PDB file of all heavy atoms in Angstrom:
ATOM      1  N   HIS A   1    -207.038 -30.221-141.031  1.00 96.00           N
ATOM      2  CA  HIS A   1    -206.083 -30.505-141.984  1.00 96.00           C
ATOM      3  C   HIS A   1    -205.757 -31.995-141.802  1.00 96.00           C
ATOM      4  O   HIS A   1    -205.975 -32.544-140.747  1.00 96.00           O
ATOM      5  CB  HIS A   1    -204.917 -29.595-141.897  1.00 96.00           C
ATOM      6  CG  HIS A   1    -204.080 -29.709-140.449  1.00 96.00           C
ATOM      7  ND1 HIS A   1    -203.317 -30.681-140.107  1.00 96.00           N
ATOM      8  CD2 HIS A   1    -204.320 -29.005-139.311  1.00 96.00           C
ATOM      9  CE1 HIS A   1    -202.894 -30.646-138.943  1.00 96.00           C
ATOM     10  NE2 HIS A   1    -203.513 -29.465-138.464  1.00 96.00           N
ATOM     11  N   THR A   2    -205.073 -32.560-142.799  1.00 94.00           N
ATOM     12  CA  THR A   2    -204.558 -33.841-142.788  1.00 94.00           C
ATOM     13  C   THR A   2    -203.254 -33.899-142.097  1.00 94.00           C
ATOM     14  O   THR A   2    -202.601 -32.838-141.868  1.00 94.00           O
ATOM     15  CB  THR A   2    -204.470 -34.408-144.187  1.00 94.00           C
ATOM     16  OG1 THR A   2    -203.669 -33.599-144.933  1.00 94.00           O
ATOM     17  CG2 THR A   2    -205.861 -34.425-144.960  1.00 94.00           C
ATOM     18  N   GLU A   3    -202.765 -35.120-141.809  1.00 95.00           N
ATOM     19  CA  GLU A   3    -201.503 -35.220-141.071  1.00 95.00           C
ATOM     20  C   GLU A   3    -200.266 -34.907-141.963  1.00 95.00           C
ATOM     21  O   GLU A   3    -199.169 -34.716-141.356  1.00 95.00           O
ATOM     22  CB  GLU A   3    -201.371 -36.738-140.601  1.00 95.00           C
ATOM     23  CG  GLU A   3    -202.502 -36.967-139.420  1.00 95.00           C
ATOM     24  CD  GLU A   3    -202.224 -38.411-138.866  1.00 95.00           C
ATOM     25  OE1 GLU A   3    -201.504 -39.201-139.469  1.00 95.00           O
ATOM     26  OE2 GLU A   3    -202.812 -38.735-137.850  1.00 95.00           O
ATOM     27  N   GLU A   4    -200.426 -34.688-143.200  1.00 95.00           N
ATOM     28  CA  GLU A   4    -199.246 -34.419-144.052  1.00 95.00           C
ATOM     29  C   GLU A   4    -198.547 -33.190-143.853  1.00 95.00           C
ATOM     30  O   GLU A   4    -197.299 -33.080-144.224  1.00 95.00           O
ATOM     31  CB  GLU A   4    -199.724 -34.568-145.573  1.00 95.00           C
ATOM     32  CG  GLU A   4    -200.639 -33.433-145.979  1.00 95.00           C
ATOM     33  CD  GLU A   4    -201.196 -33.612-147.315  1.00 95.00           C
ATOM     34  OE1 GLU A   4    -202.230 -34.235-147.561  1.00 95.00           O
ATOM     35  OE2 GLU A   4    -200.496 -33.170-148.266  1.00 95.00           O
ATOM     36  N   ILE A   5    -199.111 -32.156-143.145  1.00 96.00           N
ATOM     37  CA  ILE A   5    -198.435 -30.925-142.865  1.00 96.00           C
ATOM     38  C   ILE A   5    -198.005 -30.902-141.447  1.00 96.00           C
ATOM     39  O   ILE A   5    -197.572 -29.752-141.036  1.00 96.00           O
ATOM     40  CB  ILE A   5    -199.391 -29.756-143.239  1.00 96.00           C
ATOM     41  CG1 ILE A   5    -200.642 -29.702-142.442  1.00 96.00           C
ATOM     42  CG2 ILE A   5    -199.701 -29.767-144.612  1.00 96.00           C
ATOM     43  CD1 ILE A   5    -201.391 -28.402-142.368  1.00 96.00           C
ATOM     44  N   LEU A   6    -198.030 -31.942-140.737  1.00 96.00           N
ATOM     45  CA  LEU A   6    -197.380 -32.011-139.342  1.00 96.00           C
ATOM     46  C   LEU A   6    -195.914 -32.003-139.409  1.00 96.00           C
ATOM     47  O   LEU A   6    -195.324 -32.602-140.301  1.00 96.00           O
ATOM     48  CB  LEU A   6    -197.924 -33.126-138.549  1.00 96.00           C
ATOM     49  CG  LEU A   6    -199.447 -33.115-138.188  1.00 96.00           C
ATOM     50  CD1 LEU A   6    -199.747 -34.440-137.498  1.00 96.00           C
ATOM     51  CD2 LEU A   6    -199.894 -31.861-137.372  1.00 96.00           C
ATOM     52  N   ASP A   7    -195.308 -31.329-138.412  1.00 95.00           N
ATOM     53  CA  ASP A   7    -193.794 -31.466-138.329  1.00 95.00           C
ATOM     54  C   ASP A   7    -193.351 -32.751-137.772  1.00 95.00           C
ATOM     55  O   ASP A   7    -194.142 -33.725-137.506  1.00 95.00           O
ATOM     56  CB  ASP A   7    -193.243 -30.203-137.587  1.00 95.00           C
ATOM     57  CG  ASP A   7    -193.529 -30.264-136.098  1.00 95.00           C
ATOM     58  OD1 ASP A   7    -194.132 -31.226-135.546  1.00 95.00           O
ATOM     59  OD2 ASP A   7    -193.292 -29.214-135.430  1.00 95.00           O
ATOM     60  N   LYS A   8    -192.078 -32.876-137.568  1.00 95.00           N
ATOM     61  CA  LYS A   8    -191.475 -34.132-137.127  1.00 95.00           C
ATOM     62  C   LYS A   8    -192.041 -34.522-135.757  1.00 95.00           C
ATOM     63  O   LYS A   8    -192.072 -35.737-135.303  1.00 95.00           O
ATOM     64  CB  LYS A   8    -189.888 -33.964-137.100  1.00 95.00           C
ATOM     65  CG  LYS A   8    -189.311 -33.947-138.411  1.00 95.00           C
ATOM     66  CD  LYS A   8    -187.759 -33.850-138.363  1.00 95.00           C
ATOM     67  CE  LYS A   8    -187.198 -33.764-139.719  1.00 95.00           C
ATOM     68  NZ  LYS A   8    -185.684 -33.617-139.646  1.00 95.00           N
ATOM     69  N   THR A   9    -192.469 -33.568-134.850  1.00 95.00           N
ATOM     70  CA  THR A   9    -192.843 -33.986-133.501  1.00 95.00           C
ATOM     71  C   THR A   9    -194.336 -34.469-133.682  1.00 95.00           C
ATOM     72  O   THR A   9    -194.866 -35.121-132.743  1.00 95.00           O
ATOM     73  CB  THR A   9    -192.987 -32.734-132.690  1.00 95.00           C
ATOM     74  OG1 THR A   9    -193.972 -31.768-133.122  1.00 95.00           O
ATOM     75  CG2 THR A   9    -191.571 -32.077-132.701  1.00 95.00           C
ATOM     76  N   GLY A  10    -195.124 -34.220-134.648  1.00 95.00           N
ATOM     77  CA  GLY A  10    -196.471 -34.607-134.864  1.00 95.00           C
ATOM     78  C   GLY A  10    -197.430 -33.779-134.042  1.00 95.00           C
ATOM     79  O   GLY A  10    -198.542 -34.150-133.917  1.00 95.00           O
ATOM     80  N   ARG A  11    -196.900 -32.725-133.426  1.00 95.00           N
ATOM     81  CA  ARG A  11    -197.743 -31.956-132.469  1.00 95.00           C
ATOM     82  C   ARG A  11    -198.259 -30.576-133.126  1.00 95.00           C
ATOM     83  O   ARG A  11    -199.056 -29.923-132.461  1.00 95.00           O
ATOM     84  CB  ARG A  11    -197.072 -31.702-131.096  1.00 95.00           C
ATOM     85  CG  ARG A  11    -196.764 -33.018-130.407  1.00 95.00           C
ATOM     86  CD  ARG A  11    -195.941 -32.757-129.173  1.00 95.00           C
ATOM     87  NE  ARG A  11    -196.634 -31.830-128.318  1.00 95.00           N
ATOM     88  CZ  ARG A  11    -197.637 -32.159-127.441  1.00 95.00           C
ATOM     89  NH1 ARG A  11    -197.883 -33.445-127.246  1.00 95.00           N
ATOM     90  NH2 ARG A  11    -198.158 -31.312-126.634  1.00 95.00           N
ATOM     91  N   GLN A  12    -197.501 -30.217-134.155  1.00 96.00           N
ATOM     92  CA  GLN A  12    -197.932 -28.861-134.768  1.00 96.00           C
ATOM     93  C   GLN A  12    -197.726 -28.943-136.200  1.00 96.00           C
ATOM     94  O   GLN A  12    -196.901 -29.776-136.780  1.00 96.00           O
ATOM     95  CB  GLN A  12    -197.190 -27.799-134.096  1.00 96.00           C
ATOM     96  CG  GLN A  12    -195.685 -27.856-134.214  1.00 96.00           C
ATOM     97  CD  GLN A  12    -195.040 -26.662-133.416  1.00 96.00           C
ATOM     98  OE1 GLN A  12    -195.722 -26.149-132.495  1.00 96.00           O
ATOM     99  NE2 GLN A  12    -193.776 -26.450-133.737  1.00 96.00           N
ATOM    100  N   ILE A  13    -198.342 -27.984-137.006  1.00 97.00           N
ATOM    101  CA  ILE A  13    -198.079 -27.844-138.428  1.00 97.00           C
ATOM    102  C   ILE A  13    -196.725 -27.336-138.697  1.00 97.00           C
ATOM    103  O   ILE A  13    -196.228 -26.562-137.834  1.00 97.00           O
ATOM    104  CB  ILE A  13    -199.256 -27.058-139.061  1.00 97.00           C
ATOM    105  CG1 ILE A  13    -199.234 -25.633-138.623  1.00 97.00           C
ATOM    106  CG2 ILE A  13    -200.629 -27.844-138.886  1.00 97.00           C
ATOM    107  CD1 ILE A  13    -200.269 -24.682-139.343  1.00 97.00           C
ATOM    108  N   THR A  14    -196.215 -27.452-139.834  1.00 97.00           N
ATOM    109  CA  THR A  14    -194.921 -26.965-140.205  1.00 97.00           C
ATOM    110  C   THR A  14    -195.008 -25.423-140.402  1.00 97.00           C
ATOM    111  O   THR A  14    -196.119 -24.857-140.740  1.00 97.00           O
ATOM    112  CB  THR A  14    -194.422 -27.584-141.518  1.00 97.00           C
ATOM    113  OG1 THR A  14    -195.330 -27.296-142.682  1.00 97.00           O
ATOM    114  CG2 THR A  14    -194.329 -29.080-141.423  1.00 97.00           C
ATOM    115  N   GLU A  15    -193.864 -24.839-140.362  1.00 96.00           N
ATOM    116  CA  GLU A  15    -193.767 -23.369-140.571  1.00 96.00           C
ATOM    117  C   GLU A  15    -194.155 -23.112-142.141  1.00 96.00           C
ATOM    118  O   GLU A  15    -194.843 -22.017-142.383  1.00 96.00           O
ATOM    119  CB  GLU A  15    -192.383 -22.834-140.394  1.00 96.00           C
ATOM    120  CG  GLU A  15    -192.237 -21.335-140.544  1.00 96.00           C
ATOM    121  CD  GLU A  15    -193.180 -20.461-139.623  1.00 96.00           C
ATOM    122  OE1 GLU A  15    -193.522 -21.024-138.525  1.00 96.00           O
ATOM    123  OE2 GLU A  15    -193.616 -19.440-140.134  1.00 96.00           O
ATOM    124  N   LYS A  16    -193.801 -24.065-143.028  1.00 97.00           N
ATOM    125  CA  LYS A  16    -194.135 -23.861-144.418  1.00 97.00           C
ATOM    126  C   LYS A  16    -195.731 -23.863-144.560  1.00 97.00           C
ATOM    127  O   LYS A  16    -196.241 -22.945-145.312  1.00 97.00           O
ATOM    128  CB  LYS A  16    -193.646 -25.051-145.204  1.00 97.00           C
ATOM    129  CG  LYS A  16    -193.975 -25.092-146.681  1.00 97.00           C
ATOM    130  CD  LYS A  16    -193.262 -26.182-147.483  1.00 97.00           C
ATOM    131  CE  LYS A  16    -193.620 -26.240-148.898  1.00 97.00           C
ATOM    132  NZ  LYS A  16    -194.967 -26.583-149.108  1.00 97.00           N
ATOM    133  N   ALA A  17    -196.399 -24.805-143.979  1.00 97.00           N
ATOM    134  CA  ALA A  17    -197.821 -24.814-144.018  1.00 97.00           C
ATOM    135  C   ALA A  17    -198.464 -23.498-143.393  1.00 97.00           C
ATOM    136  O   ALA A  17    -199.376 -22.938-143.953  1.00 97.00           O
ATOM    137  CB  ALA A  17    -198.355 -26.001-143.305  1.00 97.00           C
ATOM    138  N   ARG A  18    -197.879 -22.961-142.363  1.00 97.00           N
ATOM    139  CA  ARG A  18    -198.397 -21.891-141.613  1.00 97.00           C
ATOM    140  C   ARG A  18    -198.260 -20.668-142.710  1.00 97.00           C
ATOM    141  O   ARG A  18    -199.250 -19.827-142.791  1.00 97.00           O
ATOM    142  CB  ARG A  18    -197.618 -21.521-140.515  1.00 97.00           C
ATOM    143  CG  ARG A  18    -198.053 -20.250-139.668  1.00 97.00           C
ATOM    144  CD  ARG A  18    -197.107 -20.028-138.425  1.00 97.00           C
ATOM    145  NE  ARG A  18    -197.522 -18.799-137.697  1.00 97.00           N
ATOM    146  CZ  ARG A  18    -197.145 -17.640-137.987  1.00 97.00           C
ATOM    147  NH1 ARG A  18    -196.355 -17.436-138.950  1.00 97.00           N
ATOM    148  NH2 ARG A  18    -197.613 -16.656-137.362  1.00 97.00           N
ATOM    149  N   LYS A  19    -197.093 -20.535-143.244  1.00 97.00           N
ATOM    150  CA  LYS A  19    -196.925 -19.534-144.327  1.00 97.00           C
ATOM    151  C   LYS A  19    -197.895 -19.581-145.419  1.00 97.00           C
ATOM    152  O   LYS A  19    -198.412 -18.486-145.924  1.00 97.00           O
ATOM    153  CB  LYS A  19    -195.518 -19.403-144.672  1.00 97.00           C
ATOM    154  CG  LYS A  19    -195.142 -18.263-145.613  1.00 97.00           C
ATOM    155  CD  LYS A  19    -193.615 -18.173-145.943  1.00 97.00           C
ATOM    156  CE  LYS A  19    -193.311 -16.921-146.779  1.00 97.00           C
ATOM    157  NZ  LYS A  19    -194.097 -16.751-147.961  1.00 97.00           N
ATOM    158  N   GLU A  20    -198.071 -20.843-145.895  1.00 98.00           N
ATOM    159  CA  GLU A  20    -199.014 -21.082-147.003  1.00 98.00           C
ATOM    160  C   GLU A  20    -200.467 -20.553-146.735  1.00 98.00           C
ATOM    161  O   GLU A  20    -201.094 -20.000-147.450  1.00 98.00           O
ATOM    162  CB  GLU A  20    -198.992 -22.496-147.386  1.00 98.00           C
ATOM    163  CG  GLU A  20    -197.786 -22.961-148.144  1.00 98.00           C
ATOM    164  CD  GLU A  20    -197.690 -24.452-148.479  1.00 98.00           C
ATOM    165  OE1 GLU A  20    -198.566 -25.174-147.852  1.00 98.00           O
ATOM    166  OE2 GLU A  20    -196.948 -24.824-149.296  1.00 98.00           O
ATOM    167  N   ILE A  21    -200.873 -20.859-145.496  1.00 98.00           N
ATOM    168  CA  ILE A  21    -202.245 -20.382-144.971  1.00 98.00           C
ATOM    169  C   ILE A  21    -202.316 -18.889-144.990  1.00 98.00           C
ATOM    170  O   ILE A  21    -203.290 -18.267-145.379  1.00 98.00           O
ATOM    171  CB  ILE A  21    -202.555 -21.065-143.703  1.00 98.00           C
ATOM    172  CG1 ILE A  21    -202.757 -22.611-143.932  1.00 98.00           C
ATOM    173  CG2 ILE A  21    -203.912 -20.522-143.126  1.00 98.00           C
ATOM    174  CD1 ILE A  21    -202.883 -23.374-142.541  1.00 98.00           C
ATOM    175  N   ILE A  22    -201.244 -18.234-144.433  1.00 98.00           N
ATOM    176  CA  ILE A  22    -201.252 -16.810-144.384  1.00 98.00           C
ATOM    177  C   ILE A  22    -201.287 -16.226-145.911  1.00 98.00           C
ATOM    178  O   ILE A  22    -202.108 -15.341-146.040  1.00 98.00           O
ATOM    179  CB  ILE A  22    -200.031 -16.309-143.627  1.00 98.00           C
ATOM    180  CG1 ILE A  22    -200.177 -16.647-142.150  1.00 98.00           C
ATOM    181  CG2 ILE A  22    -199.859 -14.812-143.849  1.00 98.00           C
ATOM    182  CD1 ILE A  22    -198.855 -16.378-141.255  1.00 98.00           C
ATOM    183  N   ASP A  23    -200.382 -16.777-146.666  1.00 98.00           N
ATOM    184  CA  ASP A  23    -200.387 -16.209-148.024  1.00 98.00           C
ATOM    185  C   ASP A  23    -201.679 -16.548-148.812  1.00 98.00           C
ATOM    186  O   ASP A  23    -202.101 -15.602-149.685  1.00 98.00           O
ATOM    187  CB  ASP A  23    -199.249 -16.810-148.731  1.00 98.00           C
ATOM    188  CG  ASP A  23    -197.905 -16.231-148.196  1.00 98.00           C
ATOM    189  OD1 ASP A  23    -197.881 -15.223-147.419  1.00 98.00           O
ATOM    190  OD2 ASP A  23    -196.858 -16.911-148.379  1.00 98.00           O
ATOM    191  N   ALA A  24    -202.144 -17.744-148.760  1.00 98.00           N
ATOM    192  CA  ALA A  24    -203.273 -18.121-149.546  1.00 98.00           C
ATOM    193  C   ALA A  24    -204.684 -17.725-149.052  1.00 98.00           C
ATOM    194  O   ALA A  24    -205.628 -17.509-149.857  1.00 98.00           O
ATOM    195  CB  ALA A  24    -203.367 -19.621-149.803  1.00 98.00           C
ATOM    196  N   VAL A  25    -204.827 -17.652-147.737  1.00 98.00           N
ATOM    197  CA  VAL A  25    -206.072 -17.307-147.100  1.00 98.00           C
ATOM    198  C   VAL A  25    -206.149 -15.894-146.660  1.00 98.00           C
ATOM    199  O   VAL A  25    -207.240 -15.151-146.952  1.00 98.00           O
ATOM    200  CB  VAL A  25    -206.366 -18.263-145.856  1.00 98.00           C
ATOM    201  CG1 VAL A  25    -207.651 -17.846-145.211  1.00 98.00           C
ATOM    202  CG2 VAL A  25    -206.348 -19.690-146.419  1.00 98.00           C
ATOM    203  N   ILE A  26    -205.289 -15.350-145.893  1.00 98.00           N
ATOM    204  CA  ILE A  26    -205.415 -14.066-145.260  1.00 98.00           C
ATOM    205  C   ILE A  26    -204.991 -12.952-146.188  1.00 98.00           C
ATOM    206  O   ILE A  26    -205.767 -12.005-146.386  1.00 98.00           O
ATOM    207  CB  ILE A  26    -204.396 -13.982-143.949  1.00 98.00           C
ATOM    208  CG1 ILE A  26    -204.911 -14.983-142.970  1.00 98.00           C
ATOM    209  CG2 ILE A  26    -204.449 -12.544-143.443  1.00 98.00           C
ATOM    210  CD1 ILE A  26    -203.963 -15.051-141.799  1.00 98.00           C
ATOM    211  N   MET A  27    -203.980 -12.997-146.934  1.00 97.00           N
ATOM    212  CA  MET A  27    -203.459 -11.900-147.665  1.00 97.00           C
ATOM    213  C   MET A  27    -204.389 -11.502-148.870  1.00 97.00           C
ATOM    214  O   MET A  27    -204.512 -10.368-149.165  1.00 97.00           O
ATOM    215  CB  MET A  27    -202.101 -12.085-148.234  1.00 97.00           C
ATOM    216  CG  MET A  27    -201.069 -12.079-147.140  1.00 97.00           C
ATOM    217  SD  MET A  27    -201.164 -10.591-146.107  1.00 97.00           S
ATOM    218  CE  MET A  27    -200.014 -10.861-144.757  1.00 97.00           C
ATOM    219  N   PRO A  28    -205.060 -12.293-149.571  1.00 97.00           N
ATOM    220  CA  PRO A  28    -206.036 -12.051-150.525  1.00 97.00           C
ATOM    221  C   PRO A  28    -207.273 -11.347-150.038  1.00 97.00           C
ATOM    222  O   PRO A  28    -208.029 -10.741-150.760  1.00 97.00           O
ATOM    223  CB  PRO A  28    -206.385 -13.348-151.159  1.00 97.00           C
ATOM    224  CG  PRO A  28    -205.252 -14.346-150.941  1.00 97.00           C
ATOM    225  CD  PRO A  28    -204.929 -13.936-149.473  1.00 97.00           C
ATOM    226  N   VAL A  29    -207.548 -11.439-148.678  1.00 97.00           N
ATOM    227  CA  VAL A  29    -208.733 -10.922-148.081  1.00 97.00           C
ATOM    228  C   VAL A  29    -208.491  -9.548-147.397  1.00 97.00           C
ATOM    229  O   VAL A  29    -209.304  -8.708-147.557  1.00 97.00           O
ATOM    230  CB  VAL A  29    -209.348 -11.921-147.138  1.00 97.00           C
ATOM    231  CG1 VAL A  29    -210.543 -11.330-146.300  1.00 97.00           C
ATOM    232  CG2 VAL A  29    -209.900 -13.183-147.849  1.00 97.00           C
ATOM    233  N   ILE A  30    -207.474  -9.460-146.678  1.00 97.00           N
ATOM    234  CA  ILE A  30    -207.216  -8.419-145.722  1.00 97.00           C
ATOM    235  C   ILE A  30    -206.463  -7.166-146.537  1.00 97.00           C
ATOM    236  O   ILE A  30    -205.627  -7.422-147.192  1.00 97.00           O
ATOM    237  CB  ILE A  30    -206.347  -8.714-144.592  1.00 97.00           C
ATOM    238  CG1 ILE A  30    -207.134  -9.886-143.810  1.00 97.00           C
ATOM    239  CG2 ILE A  30    -206.295  -7.546-143.586  1.00 97.00           C
ATOM    240  CD1 ILE A  30    -208.333  -9.537-143.176  1.00 97.00           C
TER     241      ILE A  30
END
């Protein structure tokens, strides 16, 4: 991913991005 979804620490993605990946990638498949 690009840096735009990193949180303020710059060490991990935001909770918002995590939820978006679950909703857009996992839920339509499983």
Side-chain angles (χ1 to χ4, degrees):
H1 59 84
T2 58
E3 293 184 344
E4 66 188 90
I5 61 167
L6 293 177
D7 66 9
K8 292 179 181 179
T9 69
R11 295 178 59 84
Q12 60 185 22
I13 63 173
T14 63
E15 184 59 31
K16 177 177 179 291
R18 180 182 181 276
K19 187 177 185 304
E20 287 176 344
I21 293 171
I22 291 174
D23 290 343
V25 177
I26 295 176
M27 291 309 173
V29 170
I30 305 295

